[in-house]
């Protein structure tokens, strides 16, 4: 195992069989070694900095029907809301006061947010705060739409590929196409965005060999950011009776991703924090270097329920800001409030 991990560090990649061997046979002491190597690489690239992103959940309307997701179209019990332009601006204002210099506008695939509305939002925020970065995470759109957002001033786009297994992708995304998802990622990169791909760990039906495919896809795509987190069931979805992904396997995947993409921006996600009270700290200690505290107005937070037990739904933005700083420090890292671009990106 140790030899295999050394090879991974050296080559920043392993073969399919070697990855599978690693995932199947990693025991406690070899996992500790893997994580140690990941932290070393993370420190070489980013020191002890953790970048902060303010997350604004702009809409819980969604036209897609992803089997696992609490705000899927088919969930009639989901409470729907969309933020007004004023609410979004107030969330960014509050974020700016608290020191955030990146705003992540995320939502379900909601046609209310037309290109014109998205462009207006981006221009409004960038007009007021030119020293910030805007990340969009609004799902699949056309090349023309993505280009308009980039031209308006959006800098980054998060679109997890969710799983690199075609078969599993088809099962959990009834109305969607894997090829189109990948095409969107390719287009976003061509346009010039800092792009975030990523996947869930522990999706019902997912095998370790599927996770190897995720690693291979990431290595090929070379995204600037990778968002991974455990699958967690939501009570009003077809996956309600399945187990969550585990913290341990998520840590392992974070550590391997850090080793195959040394300078990637890698969040310790809210889902990891929701799975375990120390989940985000454990993610940081396994190689993650980004956190995304919530800036959404408290009155809507519970409605953006992607899975059960989501943390921070009752907390004010200022509370989260303090809380997360404490967690980062306790994990042995330092908050960095700069825009925190990927080292290899320039507009
Ligand atoms: N609509 C946009 C998209 O498709 O990229 C962004 C919103 S989507 C709700 C954000 C992410 O939530 C997805 O990429 C997915 O990985 C994650 N997610 C949804 N349901 C989840 C669940 N039950 N457990 C863990 N993560 C989940
Ligand atoms: Fe929101 Fe800790 S980050 S309460």
């Amino acid at each position: 195992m140790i030899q295999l991990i050394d090879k991974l560090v050296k080559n920043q990649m392993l073969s399919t069989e070697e990855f599978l061997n690693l995932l199947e046979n990693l025991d406690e002491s070899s996992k500790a070694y893997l994580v140690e190597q990941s932290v070393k690489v993370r420190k070489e690239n980013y020191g002890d900095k953790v970048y902060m992103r303010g997350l604004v959940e702009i809409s819980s309307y969604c036209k897609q029907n992803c089997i696992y997701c609490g705000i899927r179209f088919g969930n009639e019990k989901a409470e729907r809301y969309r933020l007004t332009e004023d609410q979004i601006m107030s969330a960014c204002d509050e974020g700016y006061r608290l020191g955030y210099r990146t705003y992540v506008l995320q939502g379900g695939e909601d046609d209310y947010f037309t290109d014109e509305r998205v462009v207006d939002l981006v221009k409004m925020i960038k007009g007021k705060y030119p020293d910030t970065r805007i990340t969009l995470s609004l799902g699949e759109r056309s090349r023309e739409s993505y280009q308009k957002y980039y031209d308006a001033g959006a800098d980054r786009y998060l679109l997890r590929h969710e799983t690199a297994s075609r078969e599993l992708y088809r099962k959990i995304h009834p109305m969607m196409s894997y090829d189109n998802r990948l095409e969107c990622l390719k287009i976003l990169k061509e346009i010039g965005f800092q792009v975030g791909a990523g996947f869930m760990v522990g999706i019902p039906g997912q095998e370790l060999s599927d996770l190897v495919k995720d690693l291979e896809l990431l290595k090929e795509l070379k995204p600037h950011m990778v968002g991974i987190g455990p699958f967690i069931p939501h009570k009003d979805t077809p996956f309600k009776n399945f187990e969550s992904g585990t913290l341990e396997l998520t840590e392992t995947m974070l550590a391997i991703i850090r080793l195959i993409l040394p300078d990637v921006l890698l969040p310790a996600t809210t889902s990891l924090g929701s799975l375990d009270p120390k989940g985000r700290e454990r993610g940081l200690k396994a190689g993650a270097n980004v956190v995304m505290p919530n800036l959404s107005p408290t009155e809507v937070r519970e409605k953006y329920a992607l899975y059960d037990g989501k943390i921070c739904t009752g907390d004010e933005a200022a509370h989260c800001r303090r809380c997360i700083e404490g967690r980062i420090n306790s994990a042995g890292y330092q908050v960095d409030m700069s825009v925190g671009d990927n080292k290899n990106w320039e507009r």
Side-chain angles (χ1 to χ4, degrees), residues 100 270 280 291-294 301 311-325 327:
Y100 292 96
T270 305
R280 284 171 294 178
V291 288
M292 298 168 68
N294 207 321
R301 287 207 196 171
I311 47 169
C312 300
T313 52
D315 302 304
E316 297 289 341
H319 175 84
C320 286
R321 169 72 182 79
R322 279 192 305 276
C323 161
I324 208 79
E325 179 150 16
R327 289 171 184 276

Side-chain angles (χ1 to χ4, degrees), residues 24 43 78 95 109 114 151 165 170-171 179 184 188 192 199 217-218 222 224 235 243 248 285-286 300 314:
E24 280 172 350
K43 291 208 169 166
E109 290 201 15
T114 56
D151 294 342
S165 153
R170 194 162 19 86
K171 283 189 192 149
D179 288 326
C184 286
L188 287 162
F199 56 92
L217 178 69
L218 289 179
K222 297 200 172 25
H224 305 88
K235 62 182 186 328
E243 298 277 312
E248 289 71 22
K285 287 181 177 174
V300 303

Side-chain angles (χ1 to χ4, degrees), residues 89-100:
M89 199 62 227
S90 304
C92 296
D93 288 339
E94 170 77 343
Y96 198 88
R97 269 196 299 279
L98 294 168
Y100 292 96

Side-chain angles (χ1 to χ4, degrees), residues 54-61 69 71 81-83 88 103-110 113 121 134-139 157-160 162 270 292 294 296 304 306-307 310:
L55 178 64
V56 189
E57 298 157 333
I58 67 172
S59 174
S60 70
Y61 284 88
C69 181
I71 61 168
Y81 73 90
R82 56 175 72 92
L83 298 183
I88 296 170
Y103 310 111
V104 182
L105 308 187
Q106 189 184 78
E109 290 201 15
D110 179 2
F113 283 101
L121 275 173
I134 296 182
T135 306
L136 298 177
S137 180
L138 302 172
Y157 205 101
L158 300 177
L159 187 77
R160 292 182 175 185
E162 312 295 1
T270 305
M292 298 168 68
N294 207 321
S296 307
Y304 199 78
L306 309 180
Y307 44 81
K310 189 165 166 244

Side-chain angles (χ1 to χ4, degrees), residues 138-294:
L138 302 172
E140 295 176 27
R141 301 213 170 181
S142 67
R143 180 187 286 271
E144 293 67 35
S145 300
Y146 288 149
Q147 185 71 55
K148 284 182 195 165
Y149 311 156
Y150 186 76
D151 294 342
D155 307 279
R156 307 182 185 138
Y157 205 101
L158 300 177
L159 187 77
R160 292 182 175 185
H161 63 275
E162 312 295 1
T163 171
S165 153
R166 258 174 202 285
E167 208 188 319
L168 183 58
Y169 190 93
R170 194 162 19 86
K171 283 189 192 149
I172 61 178
H173 301 105
M175 313 182 312
M176 296 164 75
S177 136
Y178 178 73
D179 288 326
N180 193 56
R181 194 94 178 158
L182 289 198
E183 184 62 17
C184 286
L185 283 164
K186 196 175 125 227
I187 291 170
L188 287 162
K189 213 163 179 204
E190 280 168 10
I191 290 173
F193 282 100
Q194 287 179 69
V195 176
F199 56 92
M200 281 174 291
V201 176
I203 307 168
Q206 185 183 53
E207 308 278 341
L208 290 178
S209 57
D210 297 328
L211 291 171
V212 174
K213 289 189 188 130
D214 286 312
L215 295 171
E216 290 171 340
L217 178 69
L218 289 179
K219 189 68 183 177
E220 191 188 319
L221 283 176
K222 297 200 172 25
H224 305 88
M225 308 171 281
V226 173
I228 74 158
F231 155 77
I232 301 177
H234 183 288
K235 62 182 186 328
D236 299 318
T237 64
F239 277 171
K240 62 182 175 200
N241 293 326
F242 286 90
E243 298 277 312
S244 298
T246 66
L247 173 59
E248 289 71 22
L249 187 54
T250 310
E251 281 175 321
T252 300
M253 297 310 291
L254 285 168
I256 298 178
I257 293 167
R258 171 62 62 207
L259 293 174
I260 64 171
L261 299 170
D263 59 18
V264 79
L265 293 160
L266 190 61
T269 57
T270 305
S271 58
L272 199 53
S274 301
L275 186 69
D276 186 289
K278 290 266 178 243
R280 284 171 294 178
E281 290 88 324
R282 297 262 300 258
L284 293 174
K285 287 181 177 174
N289 66 331
V290 172
V291 288
M292 298 168 68
N294 207 321

Side-chain angles (χ1 to χ4, degrees), residues 48-82:
D48 60 1
K49 292 176 187 161
V50 176
Y51 297 114
M52 304 272 277
R53 323 295 194 197
L55 178 64
V56 189
E57 298 157 333
I58 67 172
S59 174
S60 70
Y61 284 88
C62 192
K63 65 181 178 189
Q64 299 292 7
N65 220 4
C66 309
I67 297 284
Y68 48 85
C69 181
I71 61 168
R72 66 199 295 267
F73 177 75
N75 180 10
E76 286 168 9
K77 291 192 186 154
E79 287 186 67
R80 308 290 174 177
Y81 73 90
R82 56 175 72 92

